[in-house]
Amino acid sequence: MKNILIINRKGGVGKTLVADELAFALDAKNVPYCFYDLDGQGGTLHEPVEMDNADISIIDTPGSLQGEMGEWVKDADVVIIPMRPSVTDMPATETTIDLVKRNAPDTPIVYVVNGTNRFKATKEFMEFFKEEHKDEPIYCLPQSEAFVQSRLANQSVVTYNPRLPAALATSVLTHGVWKILKLKF
């Protein structure tokens, strides 16, 4: 089974959003998967589920340091680290990156910068982050009310309105994760 771990010790960065969007993408392809919500706050649109014939598991983690995180990372086939485009969030995110690289140095990392916009602070953050992680995949999800509206409708932003930039960016992210895992649907 391929394990997709979505992790950042910082809360509010979009871990659950990413987990749900990956699950929605698998739902759309009728691909069986397991979904684990380890975040006690809840908030996922998907119920935890274990399917017997699943080849993929999606694991949404809490936004705080947990003793088990090192083991979770070791079991992952890909680690997704969502973050906000803010320098104030970077200390927690850097701690998460260090934890992943220390415990699973050969596991691919995917960075998701959630809430990007056209303003100077975001542009400067992206320049800094891309320079620091130039050899690793970085995906951007735009700041968009469409994420809120689609969650209220209990559906993927891709289904909600496939022509919006938020939907297109989400599709690019999910396809990028499938490509890293060498999954073909």
Side-chain angles (χ1 to χ4, degrees):
M1 181 173 305
K2 302 279 187 176
N3 294 318
I4 303 169
L5 183 71
I6 301 129
I7 189 170
N8 190 332
R9 68 170 276 212
K10 175 75 176 83
V13 295
K15 292 181 298 293
T16 299
L17 170 71
V18 171
D20 275 327
E21 288 297 340
L22 290 169
F24 278 128
L26 294 172
D27 289 338
K29 302 278 188 194
N30 292 317
V31 174
Y33 61 91
C34 296
F35 190 92
Y36 301 99
D37 180 8
L38 306 180
D39 186 353
Q41 296 181 52
T44 62
L45 297 177
H46 288 81
E47 293 292 323
V49 64
E50 289 188 37
M51 297 182 186
D52 292 334
N53 57 344
D55 291 326
I56 301 168
S57 68
I58 299 169
I59 305 142
D60 184 24
T61 63
S64 62
L65 281 178
Q66 306 288 316
E68 304 89 354
M69 283 184 166
E71 292 305 311
W72 297 342
V73 168
K74 288 177 186 175
D75 291 337
D77 293 290
V78 66
V79 174
I80 300 175
I81 303 178
M83 69 191 73
R84 302 289 296 178
S86 165
V87 293
T88 58
D89 289 359
M90 280 313 295
T93 300
E94 289 294 341
T95 300
T96 303
I97 294 167
D98 291 343
L99 175 112
V100 171
K101 290 186 175 186
R102 186 174 59 252
N103 286 284
D106 297 325
T107 301
I109 299 174
V110 173
Y111 299 102
V112 178
V113 184
N114 180 29
T116 59
N117 58 42
R118 60 182 175 78
F119 298 111
K120 182 179 179 182
T122 295
K123 288 180 182 178
E124 288 176 355
F125 175 86
M126 292 306 301
E127 287 172 10
F128 155 78
F129 196 77
K130 285 179 179 178
E131 182 61 31
E132 292 289 313
H133 300 278
K134 56 184 146 212
D135 296 328
E136 298 168 294
I138 302 170
Y139 294 92
C140 294
L141 296 179
Q143 184 175 341
S144 176
E145 183 69 18
F147 287 116
V148 176
Q149 292 170 349
S150 65
R151 292 184 73 72
L152 288 172
N154 199 34
Q155 57 184 242
S156 169
V157 69
V158 175
T159 306
Y160 184 75
N161 190 336
R163 293 175 300 215
L164 292 176
L168 298 173
T170 300
S171 292
V172 169
L173 166 63
T174 56
H175 290 269
V177 172
W178 307 155
K179 184 176 179 181
I180 288 169
L181 291 173
K182 298 179 173 76
L183 299 174
K184 296 180 181 169
F185 305 117

